[in-house]
Amino acid sequence: MSKILVIAEHGGGTVRKATLTTLQMARDLAAKTGASIDIAVLGHQVGGIAAQLTGYGAGAVHVADHADLGYALAPTWGKVIADIAKACGASVVAMSASTTGKDVLPRTAARLGAGMASDVVGVVATSKGPAFRRPMWAGALLSDVVIHTPNWCVTARVSAFDAAAPTGGSSPIVAFAADPALASARTRFVSFDATASDRPSLDEATIVVAGGRGLKSAEGFRQVMEPLADAFGAGIGASRAAVDDGYAPNDYQIGQTGKVVAPQLYVAVAISGAIQHLAGMKNSKIIVAINTRDDEPIHKIADFSLKADAFTAVPELAAKLQARK
């Protein structure tokens, strides 16, 4: 193994936390293999993003700037990432296990003929070389995956690694002449309708408050959760049951089939804690559970539990938090 290529994710002119956690996973792998690390930035007018990444100790920051790369489509990004990996001699390509990474990197793996480890939560040394630890069965089991192909592709779970810290210095920025081959792609970007919110996204939030089916309705969800989120300055999440019942939009969903988060503080309101939900938040640093029953699964992993009616206790909590500001 000679080089690891980390694919940057960005939005709104800033580097996303997912990039830095993937970079930390790459550093863990490099420490076990002696490989060097490069970073690749894809998109349109992304010079500012590349400049933000020059202080992280990479051998080079490769920039593929092209109008057809403005949105992360798997056919175009997958091809260009593979082209960069071949050009810079990278045998490992790493990206976060975000929606984008899960979509894009399998295309890259196919183009490179690379074996792939997905949703990695750790790098371990084995007698057969480095292995990638990943959860199975909603986190009930952990498996160590050894890849035997010459090239590897790896996606890292954002919540499993700390964000890499800057190392100082200044990596060179290298322009890459991208050829997205959009004309041969079967996918076209039309538009992206994002949920507008002043609150932090679940991927970036240090505090997350999440509501469940016990809030009884979409109106009940809003009345209870929004003041609490405002008081904490938190991101809002929801259980799958709450999303399925229409209490919250799909991008709020936390769990095995939703987003995986590990904030400093996670407040679960009226959530029973099915194993599928726990898989998405059990690595949170501090977990608070508020429920009318104290025998639900969520209480087994909670650091603090409050047996109370959410419609009474949460507004009181939100008011006390606001009063302290």
Side-chain angles (χ1 to χ4, degrees), residues 182-207:
L182 187 62
S184 62
R186 298 181 180 180
T187 305
R188 296 287 188 274
F189 173 69
V190 177
S191 65
F192 178 67
D193 297 325
T195 302
S197 176
D198 294 331
R199 298 188 180 92
S201 67
L202 291 175
D203 296 333
E204 305 284 338
T206 56
I207 301 175

Side-chain angles (χ1 to χ4, degrees), residues 223-225 227-228 269 290 306 309-319:
Q223 288 181 350
V224 171
M225 300 308 300
L228 184 62
V269 178
I290 301 173
L306 176 62
D309 183 353
F311 290 96
T312 301
V314 174
E316 183 178 351
L317 173 60

Side-chain angles (χ1 to χ4, degrees), residues 98-112:
S98 62
T99 302
T100 302
K102 290 175 181 177
D103 188 32
V104 169
L105 212 58
R107 299 292 189 112
T108 300
R111 286 183 172 274
L112 295 175

Side-chain angles (χ1 to χ4, degrees), residues 214-234:
L215 296 176
K216 301 180 180 179
S217 67
E219 182 62 25
F221 189 97
R222 288 192 297 271
Q223 288 181 350
V224 171
M225 300 308 300
E226 290 185 0
L228 184 62
D230 291 340
F232 271 124

Side-chain angles (χ1 to χ4, degrees), residues 39-175:
I39 299 172
V41 179
L42 285 72
H44 184 47
Q45 298 179 342
V46 289
I49 299 297
Q52 294 174 39
L53 291 166
T54 57
Y56 285 86
V61 178
H62 304 273
V63 180
D65 199 319
H66 194 287
D68 291 340
L69 297 174
Y71 190 79
L73 296 178
T76 52
W77 272 48
K79 176 187 182 302
V80 172
I81 291 169
D83 290 345
I84 297 173
K86 292 174 183 177
C88 73
S91 55
V92 181
V93 180
M95 198 170 180
S96 83
S98 62
T99 302
T100 302
K102 290 175 181 177
D103 188 32
V104 169
L105 212 58
R107 299 292 189 112
T108 300
R111 286 183 172 274
L112 295 175
M116 185 165 181
S118 303
D119 207 20
V120 167
V121 299
V123 181
V124 296
T126 72
S127 59
K128 297 181 179 180
F132 299 100
R133 184 158 290 173
R134 62 182 304 273
M136 299 173 62
W137 301 103
L141 297 175
L142 292 174
S143 64
D144 292 341
V145 178
V146 177
I147 304 175
H148 296 289
T149 54
N151 295 318
W152 305 351
C153 284
V154 183
T155 58
R157 179 176 286 193
V158 176
S159 62
F161 299 90
D162 293 331
T167 59
S170 182
S171 303
I173 295 177
V174 180

